[in-house]
Amino acid sequence: MAHRVRLSRLLGAAAVAALASTVLTPAAAPAQSPARPNVVLVWNVHAQTAIYEVARQSPTAGVRSFAMVQGAVYDAVNAIAGTPYEPYLVAPPARRGDSTPAAVATAAHRVLLSLLPAQADALRAQHDEALAAVPDGSAKRNGIRVGEAAAAAMIAARRDDGAFSDATWPVGTAPGAYRLTPPGFVQAGAWYAFLKPFVLDTAAYRVPGPPALTSAAYARQLNEVKSLGAAASTTRTQDQTEAATWWDDYRQVEWYIKRGLAAEHRLSPLQTARMLAMVDVSTADTMISCYQQKRHWSFWRPVTAIPLADIDGNPGTTADPAWTPLRATAPSPEWPSGHACYTSSIMTALREFFGRDDLSFSAYSADSGTTRHYDSLSSARAELIGARVWAGVHYRGAAVQGDRLGEAVTRGVLANEFGRR
């Protein structure tokens, strides 16, 4: 069961910076010794800065970017470690003495530069600073070479993959058909349904469709989100309001959960690189499949369905033209929930990596101003399903199906990638 702890906003940036260092055990080093930074986490923070804080990529676009960065970093670190795991794309020639920090910095820098050329100066400064901390010599030169090779393979693999095309969502006027959503009424993100997968034939993964508009199941789900998800709801609890806001933070709490677990469990750079690649590549394919299903079902979101309930033909629903959700509705069709797909994929990949569900973790959200704590991966998944209803942005069935799809696609990805050789 999740519980909440109120914390000062001072935990925001400071907590992120702290997670870029691994924790030393008391027996491993004197008390006065500084923590040695985990270079993989350092560059994951740099990636977040470039992808979200500066470029402001959407959550779905950011999934592709993180998968590219972490896939290349993994291949570079794995190669220097002697390729104990199957490479994702390539295993550049490397020796165990080659510099892992130089390889990580170079792989991440090159991929980020290819994605975000407008940030060239800032990215170059980060790269130069990282390399300046590595002693000159053959280990440094070879690490740079390994990082460049891993990045080049990733950039080539994703060239012309369909990202940022001008695809649009089908929009209709019939009852149940997807309509553009307020407040912006924009076409956005439809290209993700046509994105080249990273591993799987994502079209092979499907979810059952929404209940018939005239069914009791549909009325039950619409009335639930109408009551609990309204901006001015009188039935939603304070904790549910906090959870809905916490999970919906665009500065995604899942980023901090991953880094927090890596630091808490003192993962090595290789372990960290593998964990992040497992998670981020899995979520990329999950979101491609999820968006393919959204396009297939093309169902209306609660924010448009509730004001138009007088045309759905269901005697169990009534229209409320003034209804608004607690949180803004993303500009994509309803079925399944993209956030449920995403979070389920992350939690499933973490379950596969750590080999257990009972992991304790916390993360802070600036939107809610709170930190929430979980004692298991499954409890976080369960709360996310409810949180999408409490936010007023999804029917419960859409969140349940998204959760199931995320698990299925992730298990498929990890059955094919990142295993021991």
Side-chain angles (χ1 to χ4, degrees):
M1 175 83 58
H3 64 276
R4 56 192 173 90
V5 182
R6 300 275 177 189
L7 293 181
S8 162
R9 286 181 180 270
L10 292 175
L11 285 178
V16 176
L19 290 179
S21 295
T22 54
V23 180
L24 295 178
T25 63
Q32 68 270 21
S33 297
R36 179 175 299 176
N38 182 333
V39 66
V40 177
L41 292 183
V42 169
W43 277 92
N44 185 259
V45 174
H46 289 336
Q48 178 184 325
T49 299
I51 293 166
Y52 176 73
E53 309 295 346
V54 178
R56 293 294 186 187
Q57 285 193 353
S58 69
T60 45
V63 167
R64 171 182 177 267
S65 296
F66 275 108
M68 290 178 64
V69 172
Q70 298 306 151
V73 166
Y74 163 77
D75 274 350
V77 177
N78 188 47
I80 291 176
T83 324
Y85 300 100
E86 290 289 342
Y88 169 61
L89 290 176
V90 65
R95 296 178 298 185
R96 290 185 183 272
D98 293 342
S99 171
T100 293
V104 170
T106 302
H109 169 253
R110 293 286 190 267
V111 174
L112 286 169
L113 184 62
S114 75
L115 292 168
L116 306 164
Q119 297 184 45
D121 290 345
L123 292 169
R124 185 182 306 109
Q126 291 171 337
H127 186 235
D128 290 347
E129 180 181 7
L131 293 185
V134 180
D136 290 334
S138 61
K140 179 178 182 176
R141 292 192 298 272
N142 290 339
I144 293 171
R145 176 184 51 77
V146 171
E148 287 176 340
M154 179 61 75
I155 293 166
R158 301 311 301 179
R159 186 173 292 120
D160 300 323
D161 66 356
F164 305 106
S165 75
D166 58 1
T168 58
W169 296 112
V171 175
T173 57
Y178 175 64
R179 292 155 167 78
L180 299 183
T181 57
F185 299 96
V186 297
Q187 277 279 2
W191 57 268
Y192 222 87
F194 301 96
L195 189 64
K196 172 186 171 184
F198 280 72
V199 176
L200 298 174
D201 174 10
T202 53
Y205 291 81
R206 301 177 182 179
V207 299
L213 290 183
T214 56
S215 68
Y218 175 74
R220 182 169 57 251
Q221 292 190 42
L222 181 135
N223 288 330
E224 180 187 32
V225 69
K226 182 181 180 182
S227 174
L228 290 172
S233 173
T234 59
T235 56
R236 186 179 57 242
T237 68
Q238 177 57 39
D239 189 64
Q240 289 171 337
T241 299
E242 179 192 300
T245 304
W246 191 89
W247 281 108
D248 201 48
D249 194 333
Y250 260 44
R251 190 175 281 102
Q252 297 176 27
V253 293
E254 289 90 346
W255 298 336
Y256 304 99
I257 290 170
K258 290 181 286 184
R259 290 196 291 260
L261 286 170
E264 175 68 21
H265 291 266
R266 301 177 175 88
L267 300 187
S268 68
L270 174 61
Q271 291 170 323
T272 306
R274 180 169 176 259
M275 182 196 77
L276 292 176
M278 288 171 66
V279 171
D280 291 347
V281 171
S282 293
T283 55
D285 271 8
T286 291
M287 295 309 293
I288 294 168
S289 178
C290 189
Y291 270 52
Q292 289 169 342
Q293 289 300 287
K294 281 176 174 287
R295 186 177 186 87
H296 174 76
W297 295 111
S298 197
F299 199 56
W300 59 6
R301 302 291 290 252
V303 71
T304 53
I306 292 170
L308 294 174
D310 55 346
I311 69 167
D312 63 18
N314 194 316
T317 66
T318 57
D320 181 353
W323 189 89
T324 56
L326 174 67
R327 303 288 291 182
T329 300
S332 64
E334 164 61 8
W335 203 274
S337 160
H339 202 146
C341 289
Y342 175 75
T343 300
S344 171
S345 178
I346 290 173
M347 300 303 165
T348 300
L350 291 172
R351 171 68 177 81
E352 290 297 304
F353 176 83
F354 286 101
R356 49 188 280 213
D357 177 65
D358 61 337
L359 297 172
S360 294
F361 53 93
S362 304
Y364 172 83
S365 160
D367 276 12
S368 67
T370 60
T371 292
R372 293 183 74 83
H373 172 80
Y374 302 86
D375 293 323
S376 68
L377 299 167
S378 56
S379 66
R381 283 176 62 178
E383 185 179 82
L384 183 279
I385 290 173
R388 303 317 281 157
V389 177
W390 307 329
V393 296
H394 283 297
Y395 310 105
R396 183 170 295 274
V400 169
Q401 293 303 327
D403 179 80
R404 293 173 180 172
L405 182 63
E407 178 175 0
V409 174
T410 299
R411 291 193 183 281
V413 169
L414 299 183
N416 288 277
E417 297 288 345
F418 309 113
R420 286 194 174 273
R421 298 190 74 175

